[in-house]
Amino acid sequence: MEHTQQRVVHANVVFGNKSENELISKAKKGDKQAFRSLYDEHIGRVYALCYRLTGEKGMAEDASQEVFIQLWKKLGNFDGQSQFSTWLHSVTANITISYMRKQKGWVQRMFNLESSGINEMPAEENSTDVDLEALVIRLPERARMVFVLHAIEGYRHEDIASMLNMAVGSSKAQFFRAKQLLKDFMGVDDE
């Protein structure tokens, strides 16, 4: 019985994404329609991760575009050893972080973010519905990135530290900071 279950699971892995695998194969050969189909299938998840990491709609749109530009160039690196969506998720996180590093200097020159008041917006009082997404966006950049990667996307602190060029302890500290700030935003006291 167990052997049959393993074969069924293997069959689902092999045949479950047959159309996506065909699209990937065609896109690797330069088929733009196949790539467009992959784009249509995955843009929502890519944008959502970009938005969570950047905290800004315009930057998330630009980062999403950069992800798909790089994906067109790097699709040949996908070896099929993991699910395409898993690989794309990792690529998206790395490209978005890199994109943010490039943009940070420009953004800081154009706007003094610390004096903009964006992080000082009051949380909704007397609200029973907490918009966690809106609260996460209010977090300082490093704390937000670590929080999103660890709490929402499930990365380990060791992986986050490598992605963000920081010590593992710094990743853990930023995560703790993010949790404390979120509690403050929601008016939750530590007990």
Side-chain angles (χ1 to χ4, degrees):
M1 177 71 169
E2 185 176 314
H3 181 66
T4 303
Q5 287 174 333
Q6 287 175 342
R7 289 175 62 190
V8 169
V9 168
H10 179 70
N12 285 339
V13 170
V14 172
F15 298 112
N17 278 339
K18 186 175 182 193
S19 63
E20 184 173 73
N21 289 338
E22 289 172 2
L23 289 174
I24 293 166
S25 179
K26 288 178 181 180
K28 281 182 176 182
K29 294 175 186 171
D31 185 328
K32 292 179 183 175
Q33 280 303 110
F35 187 78
R36 176 61 191 221
S37 295
L38 289 172
Y39 172 88
D40 290 342
E41 177 69 26
H42 295 282
I43 184 59
R45 286 185 292 272
V46 166
Y47 175 79
L49 178 55
C50 291
Y51 182 67
R52 285 186 197 112
L53 289 171
T54 64
E56 202 268 323
K57 289 180 182 180
M59 189 176 267
E61 290 168 358
D62 292 345
S64 297
Q65 182 177 8
E66 182 67 22
V67 167
F68 283 98
I69 290 169
Q70 293 299 317
L71 183 63
W72 177 253
K73 296 175 183 176
K74 296 180 181 191
L75 193 56
N77 294 344
F78 177 65
D79 59 9
Q81 296 297 322
S82 63
Q83 286 191 348
F84 180 73
S85 59
T86 303
W87 179 79
L88 179 58
H89 184 275
S90 177
V91 168
T92 300
N94 288 325
I95 290 173
T96 303
I97 290 166
S98 176
Y99 177 80
M100 289 174 67
R101 284 186 186 126
K102 290 176 191 172
Q103 297 303 312
K104 187 174 183 177
W106 179 83
V107 170
Q108 285 180 337
R109 286 192 304 271
M110 293 300 290
F111 305 102
N112 184 348
L113 293 179
E114 290 182 11
S115 66
S116 70
I118 194 167
N119 288 326
E120 293 146 16
M121 296 176 355
E124 303 243 347
E125 294 184 28
N126 301 325
S127 173
T128 56
D129 296 330
V130 175
D131 184 357
L132 183 60
E133 190 89 15
L135 296 177
V136 169
I137 298 307
R138 291 175 50 197
L139 293 170
E141 180 180 80
R142 299 287 272 183
R144 180 181 64 246
M145 291 169 68
V146 170
F147 183 82
V148 167
L149 291 171
H150 184 69
I152 299 174
E153 303 300 330
Y155 283 90
R156 298 178 342 191
H157 285 291
E158 293 79 8
D159 298 329
I160 296 168
S162 175
M163 292 168 76
L164 299 178
N165 296 323
M166 64 171 54
V168 173
S170 295
S171 176
K172 291 177 180 179
Q174 289 292 338
F175 182 68
F176 179 78
R177 178 180 182 213
K179 289 193 314 184
Q180 290 304 115
L181 286 169
L182 289 172
K183 286 179 184 177
D184 291 347
F185 294 161
M186 292 185 287
V188 175
D189 293 326
D190 282 334
E191 294 181 20

